[in-house]
Amino acid sequence: MATIDGLPPLREVIATHDLVAKKQLGQNFLLDLNLTAKIARMAGDLSGCDVLEVGPGPGGLTRGLLVEGARRVLAVEKDPRCLPALAEIAAAYPGRLEVVNGDAMEVDVLRHLTPPIKIVANLPYNVGTELLIRWLTPKAWPPVWQSLTLMFQKEVAERIVAKPRSDHYGRLALLAQWRTDAKIVMHLPPEAFTPAPKVHSAVVHLTRLDQPRFPADEAILQRVTAMAFNQRRKMLRSSLKGWGPDIEERLLAAGIQPTQRAEEISLEGFCALARALAT
């Protein structure tokens, strides 16, 4: 990659700018530019798209996104130590990289982006799941983004794509699969990162659906799945008893047996239950 974009290898960049990864920021740098370019390609055709990247660090994935043809990249980086390295990339790609020094949980990214928009990021471990949930629960659907291509700890990735009756199945799987097509597209071992984390990682690609897969009120669906999976080993008539005295009738109306447990109920079943509880 360095011979393609004329910029130094990432190890040299990190040494030059003294970018020791900080655990408190959830930083683990991916230094292999072949891998970062491959992750960028997992997002599909980037030409004509603005791309949001969260936590670019020294800019390995940023460079991959630009080389793979992103129209513009908005990189939101909380760590000011990374800004000089990112400025060098911006200089090499005039007008195509904007860097915002701030917290991705607080920055209004829409002021900086023009549709069509894709989100591609090696998310910091400490905020990855919370950011995903925010992107999946905007005020209006469909959202402004077309797809999410995100790296997580392997366990989190498996929770996103999990199916009923599996250990990882829960609210995150339901929320993601209700509104997107989600699949794991890449696995990465700990040694691919500096410093090497204690866990494996995986890249998940989520393509938005224009409409949710099944009709349901989001607030009710969120509430009922929270109650159901908070006590996932209990029968639903017990875990949902706080909803009201007629919960067994509502479950039956949704085609669910009151003695079933949360991990046995499909997305379609939970959406049917949400509709039954809305009446």
Side-chain angles (χ1 to χ4, degrees), residues 110 115-119 132-148 179-180 206-212:
L110 293 183
I117 297 166
K118 295 186 176 184
I119 300 176
L132 173 61
I133 291 172
R134 286 193 178 199
W135 290 327
L136 290 172
T137 56
K139 292 181 179 179
W141 194 271
V144 296
W145 51 265
Q146 291 184 336
S147 66
L148 309 171
R179 286 177 155 173
T180 75
L206 304 98
T207 305
R208 77 177 188 197
L209 302 174
D210 287 339
Q211 297 292 333

Side-chain angles (χ1 to χ4, degrees), residues 28 125 151-156 188-193 195-202:
N28 296 89
Y125 281 172
M151 187 186 303
F152 297 97
Q153 296 180 44
K154 181 182 176 184
E155 182 179 348
V156 175
L188 295 100
E191 54 268 25
F193 299 87
K198 295 180 180 179
V199 296
H200 284 68
S201 300

Side-chain angles (χ1 to χ4, degrees), residues 13-279:
V13 172
I14 288 172
T16 299
H17 297 284
D18 193 24
L19 295 178
V20 178
K22 288 188 175 182
K23 185 176 181 180
Q24 62 267 38
L25 293 177
Q27 291 176 331
N28 296 89
F29 298 147
L30 185 59
L31 302 186
D32 187 333
L33 290 167
N34 291 315
L35 285 177
T36 60
K38 185 176 180 180
I39 293 168
R41 289 194 293 273
M42 294 297 175
D45 184 5
L46 299 178
S47 61
C49 292
D50 278 11
V51 178
L52 169 63
E53 182 188 6
V54 174
L61 180 56
T62 313
R63 288 163 66 174
L65 293 167
L66 291 164
V67 166
E68 292 301 321
R71 178 177 64 195
R72 286 182 64 253
V73 175
L74 173 66
V76 180
E77 177 54 63
K78 187 175 183 179
D79 186 354
R81 300 177 306 146
C82 297
L83 301 184
L86 294 169
E88 293 173 359
I89 301 172
Y93 293 91
R96 292 180 60 201
L97 172 61
E98 180 181 357
V99 180
V100 174
N101 181 206
D103 188 335
M105 304 295 290
E106 300 172 0
V107 174
D108 180 9
V109 298
L110 293 183
R111 294 194 301 109
H112 303 264
L113 295 167
T114 302
I117 297 166
K118 295 186 176 184
I119 300 176
V120 187
N122 172 14
L123 292 174
Y125 281 172
N126 54 355
V127 296
T129 303
E130 187 172 354
L131 279 171
L132 173 61
I133 291 172
R134 286 193 178 199
W135 290 327
L136 290 172
T137 56
K139 292 181 179 179
W141 194 271
V144 296
W145 51 265
Q146 291 184 336
S147 66
L148 309 171
T149 307
L150 308 171
M151 187 186 303
F152 297 97
Q153 296 180 44
K154 181 182 176 184
E155 182 179 348
V156 175
E158 289 174 342
R159 286 170 53 203
I160 294 169
V161 302
K163 300 302 180 186
R165 301 179 185 274
S166 67
D167 291 340
H168 293 287
Y169 184 63
R171 294 185 67 208
L172 192 57
L174 289 161
L175 186 59
Q177 295 171 41
W178 183 44
R179 286 177 155 173
T180 75
D181 283 324
K183 59 182 178 179
I184 294 176
V185 294
M186 190 174 175
H187 289 88
L188 295 100
E191 54 268 25
F193 299 87
T194 299
K198 295 180 180 179
V199 296
H200 284 68
S201 300
V203 177
V204 184
H205 183 70
L206 304 98
T207 305
R208 77 177 188 197
L209 302 174
D210 287 339
Q211 297 292 333
R213 203 173 297 277
F214 305 105
D217 179 275
E218 181 193 330
I220 296 176
L221 185 62
Q222 289 263 36
R223 183 184 169 198
V224 72
T225 53
M227 293 175 69
F229 283 100
N230 188 47
Q231 303 179 73
R232 59 185 295 144
R233 299 303 178 190
K234 286 191 173 184
M235 292 182 289
L236 284 171
R237 67 183 179 195
S238 297
S239 58
L240 299 179
K241 64 182 180 182
W243 202 284
D246 62 344
I247 189 59
E248 289 203 23
E249 288 80 1
R250 302 287 184 110
L251 286 163
L252 291 169
I256 298 170
Q257 292 300 314
T259 54
Q260 288 184 280
R261 296 187 297 272
E263 64 265 28
E264 299 175 311
I265 309 303
S266 67
L267 169 61
E268 185 176 7
F270 269 112
C271 289
L273 178 57
R275 295 195 299 272
L277 292 170
T279 57

